[in-house]
Amino acid sequence: MKNSWLIVVLSGLHGLLFAQHPVDSIKESDAAAIIEILAADAMKGRANGSPEILKTGIFIGDRFKQAGLSPMPGQASFYLPFTLPAYNPSAVTDMLEWNGEIISPGRFMYFPSQPGNHLPKELKDFTVIHQDTCFYNTMLSGYKYATTPLLIWTSEMQPDNENYFPEWINLPNGGLATDILLVYATHPPDTVTLTGLPQYYNSLGYNIVGMLPGKSKPAEVIIFSAHYDHMGTTGFGRKDTIMNGANDDASGTTAVLMLADYFAKRNDNERTIIFCAFAGEELGLIGSEHFINHLVTENVVAVVNIEMIGISQLGKNNVFITGYNYSDLPALLEKNLKRFGIKVRGEPNQNKNLFERSDNFPFAKKGIPAHTVMSSDDDEPCYHKPCDEIKRINIKHMTQVIRSIAFATESLINSSETPGRKRYERPKLNFNRD
Ligand SMILES: [Zn+2]
């Protein structure tokens, strides 16, 4: 009962501060609905390379779309593929048969609006458009709002370039609304089969990334991130083999989705906000390592990565921030979290080096203030076990942490505060706090 007074007082305060979209608009019921989908048995533990992680990914991409986010500049969609380890990236790709002949890969390019099992496609699946002019950027820009899959073909040669679809092709900002297949061919199509080779699609992971361009400082970027992959299934002869990863890290992914929704509705971010749901984290942060290549790292002001906030290991309304002393960001967040009634504790065990073990780390190595907000760690009894399930998640706590992150990052978003940058050095493991 004591706490309900606190909530009433805080609600009133937020109502004054953010009359349009108070952080209270982040609802427990919405958070519960999202995490139930992410951690459902149907997602089979969201293993990298599985069909179920793609299903999860498409759910995330759809939420970004509903929220009104844009893809990263130059990207066709929210889905940024990277090659999973143990696959040879150049070995396989899509295959296109045109009037009974295989078209060489350099002469067609396929831009799916969504990854996954959308292939094979045939001539009847496309609206066919013949274009006299050369390909590239103008063609894609011209059709970005089309709603049915398009096959755009030309017999016009691109001058002085053997490869008709160079890798540096610039896609229109804002993404494509439909699938577009670009083809260079000498004759019109009578039969077409576009086949997605399963080896190719199983070899890809997808980071799902959307953004809200900044109103007055678009070149300054704040990133919210979490990983949506997990460990898949385990062992034989057990009753429950699905490692649902509800806490790790469906909880953080829920936070990213809700923050995207929240800041999109506020529509007043002075800085650009990028929302990342990473894959490949459980394989060694390879998704976030890949994503770094899409960024001008000097433009990134802060990265708030979110992990395992579904369980309050250190007590109610307590969180910790990994690598507290490695930049000014944790102290800045702590000051603001405190105003919201959230206590920032020291890491439970410095020797675990949690700072290097989640998706904040690839950013931190580049000198970006990048840390992970957590409220439980691998001492949690169901960590990486099938019992990391939705029924153990404290929705109330999780939602309150999400609200507090929205509140505490307000000064970063509106550009009134900027954390100092530090060159990352390996942590000293005797560090003590609290
Ligand atoms: Zn995790």
Side-chain angles (χ1 to χ4, degrees), residues 227 248-249 281-282 307:
H227 70 94
D248 182 13
D249 190 20
E281 195 269 357
E282 303 285 8
E307 274 258 29

Side-chain angles (χ1 to χ4, degrees), residues 227 229-230 248-249 281-282 307-308 357-358 383-384:
H227 70 94
D229 66 317
H230 194 62
D248 182 13
D249 190 20
E281 195 269 357
E282 303 285 8
E307 274 258 29
M308 299 171 74
R357 288 172 50 196
S358 192
Y383 174 77
H384 285 193

Side-chain angles (χ1 to χ4, degrees), residues 199-348:
Q199 309 92 294
Y200 176 59
Y201 283 96
N202 294 343
S203 74
L204 297 178
Y206 291 91
N207 293 326
I208 303 156
V209 182
M211 65 172 219
L212 292 170
K215 306 280 178 207
S216 60
K217 297 188 172 173
E220 298 180 16
V221 175
I222 308 295
I223 295 179
F224 292 105
S225 64
H227 70 94
Y228 73 101
D229 66 317
H230 194 62
M231 313 286 291
T233 54
T234 182
F236 306 99
R238 291 170 187 245
K239 253 195 191 152
D240 181 7
T241 58
I242 298 172
M243 308 190 31
N244 302 74
N247 190 37
D248 182 13
D249 190 20
S251 65
T253 307
T254 301
V256 168
L257 290 177
M258 299 205 71
L259 291 168
D261 216 38
Y262 170 76
F263 284 112
K265 282 195 179 115
R266 286 192 54 136
N267 193 27
D268 61 358
N269 53 298
E270 302 300 340
R271 286 176 164 146
T272 292
I273 316 177
I274 295 181
F275 301 90
C276 301
F278 290 123
E281 195 269 357
E282 303 285 8
L283 302 176
L285 318 181
I286 59 174
S288 46
E289 285 281 4
H290 183 268
F291 177 66
I292 280 279
N293 302 320
H294 285 279
L295 290 175
V296 178
T297 51
E298 290 73 31
N299 290 356
V300 183
V301 173
V303 177
V304 179
N305 187 53
I306 307 162
E307 274 258 29
M308 299 171 74
I309 57 166
I311 288 175
S312 55
Q313 193 174 300
L314 303 178
K316 206 153 103 185
N317 293 337
N318 280 240
V319 298
F320 57 95
I321 303 175
T322 64
Y324 192 95
N325 282 349
Y326 306 141
S327 86
D328 297 339
L329 179 61
L332 184 158
L333 292 175
E334 178 174 18
K335 173 185 57 117
N336 295 339
L337 286 165
K338 203 170 158 191
R339 286 170 54 215
F340 195 83
I342 296 280
K343 182 168 169 50
V344 176
R345 303 275 297 270
E347 283 180 56

Side-chain angles (χ1 to χ4, degrees), residues 33 53 64 68 77 125 205 250 266 287 297 302 314 327 378 386 392 395 422:
I53 196 175
F64 280 177
S77 76
D125 300 320
R266 286 192 54 136
T297 51
L314 303 178
S327 86
D378 48 14
R392 295 183 72 257
I395 298 287
K422 280 180 191 168

Side-chain angles (χ1 to χ4, degrees), residues 9 34 74 85 160 171 188-189 205 232 275 287 313 317 325 330 373-374 424-425:
V9 170
I34 292 173
D160 61 46
L171 295 171
F275 301 90
Q313 193 174 300
N317 293 337
N325 282 349
V373 177
M374 310 180 77
Y424 175 71
E425 284 164 33

